[in-house]
């Protein structure tokens, strides 16, 4: 009788183990950490937690280093940091995600191609109802960008010099607009801006490049030791100026996109200049026509051409820059032309004085080769 | 009014008679600077912009903030037209007067250190 009990217990035990063994794979398969729906900026649901966990398995695509979204602190909200991490992932997997869709720059949208790449980049272990990720992507020690990441001790405000220049622009613009409104002569004193000037100036730079290409920066105030910031998060350390005073470095494998280049040394921080890191098959950016003609202050302007990005297009005109213009089809770009420094002049004028103006577009694909000339009526 | 016509005549003469020599000393003072801010001189005959450079270097390594009058014609060197955000390098004539903004009869002068000659080159715009 006793043997029967033992046998029954052991049998039941064995049955339980075998049952568990049968169930676990089923559980693993049905509860696999996969993303099965499209996700985009603003989404709020549990699938975003999964997305962030997969992105955080690779330091090159981390959502955040600390706080919400960081490893172990994933959230169900698809915000700007998650979008940036998705774009980094898409750049790293461009051949699987972007090129098959005919794209050369990341969109931040998690569609079928991105989902497939994400799901293939992470394995899953399920244990006690908690989801663990077993990363199959690049481990931390072989992050190709590890040596280029800005450390906490190296963090600076790379836009300090730009902000000073913008304050000069705003002050002069306000002075002129106020004077014109009151029919008086503008009183402009340049001496008071002297303390806002930087002695480290970038005057020229390579503006587009791919990983491995040489980037050259010319300017003034460079020393024997300079740090070059590529955006606020990446740095090239201890670059020496050559005999002609030029700085050069090899572009690391950064995600495709626009970055602000800044030089920092003991003399200070320079103005920024844009560097476009391009993918393997960059699309050229061009403007073929502008409407309306002539333009007027406040005009809704449409550029027709090619290579325009969905968002983030920077439109540079003679009289100022419009940031983040959008294009729905890559061939037309719309924005409103209303720079502050022309407000007073436009209000005083009748729109009949025509003055030439240049327009260029810069985005993740690159630059238009030369400015397109149009007429502006003031 | 007389000042505006004199300035227009001066600008026209610079381009009509051409540049006889590429030597910097024949053309004026060398300058360099970051072109930050541009305003069209709406009361000046012809196409001239008043352009603020910060920093601006005129025959010196000491940076200052200042303005130059820039005729809206192609420059001798790429990228051929000054635009805000470009770094410019070239020669300027130390003629300060000439830019008037507003609409008749309310035209007012803007102060400038000189007039940029066509002997100027620029970087591609990448700033702002």
């Amino acid at each position: 009788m006793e043997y029967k009990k033992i046998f029954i217990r052991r049998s039941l035990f064995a049955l339980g183990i075998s049952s568990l063994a049968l169930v676990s794979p089923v559980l693993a398969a049905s509860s696999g950490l996969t993303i099965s729906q499209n996700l985009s900026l603003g989404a709020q649901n549990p699938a975003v937690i999964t997305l962030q966990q997969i992105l955080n398995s690779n330091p090159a695509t981390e959502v955040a280093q600390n706080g919400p979204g960081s490893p172990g602190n994933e959230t169900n909200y698809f915000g700007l940091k998650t979008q940036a991490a998705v774009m980094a992932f898409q750049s790293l997997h461009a051949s699987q995600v972007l090129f098959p869709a005919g794209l050369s720059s990341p969109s931040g949208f998690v569609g079928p191609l991105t989902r497939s790449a994400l799901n293939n980049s992470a394995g899953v272990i399920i244990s006690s109802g908690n989801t663990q990720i077993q990363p199959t992507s690049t481990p931390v020690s072989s992050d190709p960008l590890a040596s280029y990441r800005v450390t906490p001790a190296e963090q600076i405000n790379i836009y300090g010099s730009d902000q000073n220049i913008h304050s000069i622009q705003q002050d002069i613009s306000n002075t002129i607009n106020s004077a014109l409104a009151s029919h008086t002569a503008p009183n402009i004193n340049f001496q008071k801006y002297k303390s806002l000037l930087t002695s480290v100036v970038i005057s020229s730079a390579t503006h587009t490049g791919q990983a491995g290409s040489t980037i050259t920066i010319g300017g003034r105030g460079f020393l024997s030791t300079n740090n070059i910031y590529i955006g606020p998060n990446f740095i090239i350390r201890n670059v020496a100026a050559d005999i002609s005073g030029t700085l050069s470095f090899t572009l690391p494998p950064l995600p495709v996109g626009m970055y602000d280049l800044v030089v920092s040394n003991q003399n200070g921080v320079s103005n920024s200049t844009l560097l476009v890191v391009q993918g393997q098959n960059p699309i050229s950016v061009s403007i073929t026509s502008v409407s309306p003609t002539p333009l007027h202050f406040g005009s809704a302007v449409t550029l027709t051409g090619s290579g325009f990005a969905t968002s983030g297009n920077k439109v540079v005109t003679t009289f100022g820059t419009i940031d983040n213009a959008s294009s729905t089809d890559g061939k037309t770009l719309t924005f409103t032309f209303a720079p502050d420094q022309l407000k007073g002049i436009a209000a005083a004028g009748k729109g009949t004085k025509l003055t030439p103006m240049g327009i260029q577009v810069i985005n993740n694909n690159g630059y238009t080769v030369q400015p397109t000339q149009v007429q502006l009526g003031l | 009014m007389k000042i505006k016509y004199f300035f227009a005549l001066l600008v026209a003469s610079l381009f009509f008679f051409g540049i006889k020599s590429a030597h910097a000393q024949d053309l004026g003072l060398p300058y360099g600077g970051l072109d930050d801010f541009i305003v069209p001189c709406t009361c000046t005959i012809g196409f001239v912009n008043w352009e603020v450079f910060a920093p601006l270097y005129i025959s010196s390594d000491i940076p200052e903030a200042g303005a130059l009058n820039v005729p809206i014609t192609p420059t001798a060197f790429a990228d051929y037209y000054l635009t805000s955000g470009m770094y410019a390098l070239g020669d300027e004539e130390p003629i300060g007067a000439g830019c008037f903004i507003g609409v008749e009869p309310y035209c007012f002068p803007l102060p400038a250190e000189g007039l940029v000659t066509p002997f100027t080159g620029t970087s591609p715009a990448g700033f702002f």
Side-chain angles (χ1 to χ4, degrees):
Chain A
M1 197 63 170
E2 194 63 33
Y3 287 113
K4 281 187 183 175
K5 288 180 186 176
I6 293 170
F7 175 77
I8 290 168
R9 271 193 234 123
R10 284 180 180 175
S11 298
L12 286 173
F13 182 69
L15 199 64
I17 291 175
S18 61
S19 298
L20 189 61
L22 281 172
V23 168
S24 294
V26 173
L27 276 175
S30 63
S31 305
L33 191 63
T34 57
I35 303 169
S36 56
Q37 58 184 285
N38 293 342
L39 296 168
S40 60
L41 185 67
Q44 194 160 0
N45 66 60
V48 177
I49 298 177
T50 305
L51 169 65
Q52 293 184 355
Q53 287 172 329
I54 297 175
L55 291 168
N56 283 339
S57 67
N58 184 348
T61 58
E62 249 176 29
V63 175
Q65 289 188 341
N66 46 54
S70 62
N73 296 308
E74 289 83 3
T75 73
N76 65 353
Y77 177 63
F78 192 128
L80 289 172
K81 288 185 180 177
T82 305
Q83 185 185 49
V86 169
M87 291 174 77
F89 179 88
Q90 290 173 328
S91 295
L92 286 173
H93 297 83
S95 59
Q96 301 162 252
V97 173
L98 300 180
F99 302 152
L103 300 173
S104 65
S105 44
S107 63
F109 174 72
V110 181
L113 289 171
T114 303
R115 282 195 278 117
S116 174
L118 283 163
N119 294 338
N120 288 332
S121 73
V124 175
I125 298 173
I126 295 181
S127 170
S128 303
N130 295 325
T131 302
Q132 297 175 358
I133 290 182
Q134 186 173 50
T136 56
S137 55
T138 309
V140 177
S141 60
S142 61
D143 173 15
L145 293 174
S147 61
Y148 301 105
R149 294 184 187 277
V150 171
T151 65
E154 292 170 330
Q155 286 178 349
I156 62 171
N157 176 13
I158 67 170
Y159 300 110
S161 184
D162 290 359
Q163 286 162 351
N164 284 343
I165 294 174
H166 279 295
S167 70
I168 295 174
Q169 289 177 324
Q170 199 59 55
D171 195 54
I172 295 176
S173 181
N174 290 342
T175 302
I176 291 175
N177 289 337
S178 298
L180 287 174
S182 59
H183 301 309
T184 57
N187 180 16
I188 297 173
N189 174 12
F190 287 109
Q191 287 300 314
K192 67 179 182 178
Y193 304 125
K194 202 158 185 175
S195 63
L196 297 176
L197 301 178
T198 177
S199 58
V200 186
V201 180
I202 294 178
S203 61
S204 64
T206 313
H207 280 92
T208 58
Q210 297 170 340
S213 62
T214 299
I215 306 300
T216 303
I217 303 175
R220 307 178 72 113
F222 298 160
L223 300 175
S224 56
T225 302
N226 307 272
N227 288 334
I228 300 172
Y229 285 79
I230 310 175
N233 298 322
F234 298 101
I235 186 171
I236 310 292
R237 300 176 181 87
N238 301 324
V239 181
D242 66 16
I243 194 167
S244 66
T246 299
L247 306 176
S248 296
F249 65 92
T250 301
L251 187 60
L254 297 175
V256 167
M258 289 191 288
Y259 295 84
D260 293 311
L261 272 188
V262 166
V263 175
S264 171
N265 59 35
Q266 286 186 333
N267 282 344
V269 177
S270 76
N271 54 305
S272 70
T273 190
L274 275 174
L275 170 68
V276 178
V277 176
Q278 296 174 314
Q280 292 178 0
N281 298 302
I283 298 172
S284 66
V285 187
S286 68
I287 300 171
T288 52
S289 68
V290 181
S291 71
T293 53
L295 303 184
H296 290 92
F297 182 88
S299 284
V301 182
T302 299
L303 305 181
T304 302
S306 64
F308 301 144
T310 308
S311 62
N313 295 282
K314 193 178 275 279
V315 181
V316 180
T317 77
T318 303
F319 303 108
T321 297
I322 296 95
D323 287 310
N324 205 22
S326 60
S327 173
T328 55
D329 59 2
K331 298 174 187 173
T332 55
L333 187 65
T334 55
F335 61 93
T336 301
F337 179 72
D340 272 348
Q341 65 254 45
L342 299 184
K343 197 180 295 182
I345 294 172
K350 298 171 187 172
T352 53
K353 163 93 179 179
L354 295 181
T355 190
M357 185 177 91
I359 300 180
Q360 273 185 297
V361 174
I362 308 169
N363 60 32
N364 287 349
N365 294 321
Y367 280 64
T368 48
V369 175
Q370 286 198 22
T372 298
Q373 295 299 311
V374 297
Q375 293 289 313
L376 170 66
L378 289 170
Chain B
M1 289 290 281
K2 285 184 181 177
I3 293 175
K4 286 191 293 183
Y5 282 119
F6 168 75
F7 182 72
L9 186 64
L10 178 67
V11 169
S13 65
L14 279 173
F15 296 99
F16 180 77
F17 293 112
I19 301 168
K20 292 182 180 176
S21 167
H23 201 285
Q25 291 170 357
D26 294 335
L27 296 173
L29 299 174
Y31 83 94
L34 195 58
D35 197 337
D36 301 328
F37 183 87
I38 299 178
V39 167
C41 306
T42 50
C43 274
T44 299
I45 291 177
F47 300 122
V48 181
N49 284 337
W50 180 80
E51 308 196 9
V52 172
F53 292 81
L56 172 64
Y57 303 87
I58 295 185
S59 300
S60 165
D61 283 337
I62 300 171
E64 56 180 285
L68 296 171
N69 293 321
V70 182
I72 308 172
T73 56
T75 61
F77 307 108
D79 271 340
Y80 306 116
Y81 286 95
L82 264 84
T83 295
S84 65
M86 289 178 167
Y87 193 94
L89 196 63
D91 289 333
E92 57 93 15
E93 292 282 356
I95 304 167
C99 178
F100 294 82
I101 58 164
V103 176
E104 294 276 4
Y106 302 108
C107 291
F108 302 100
L110 290 174
E113 297 195 36
L115 173 70
V116 167
T117 73
F119 199 75
T120 288
T122 64
S123 66
F127 175 37
F128 302 117

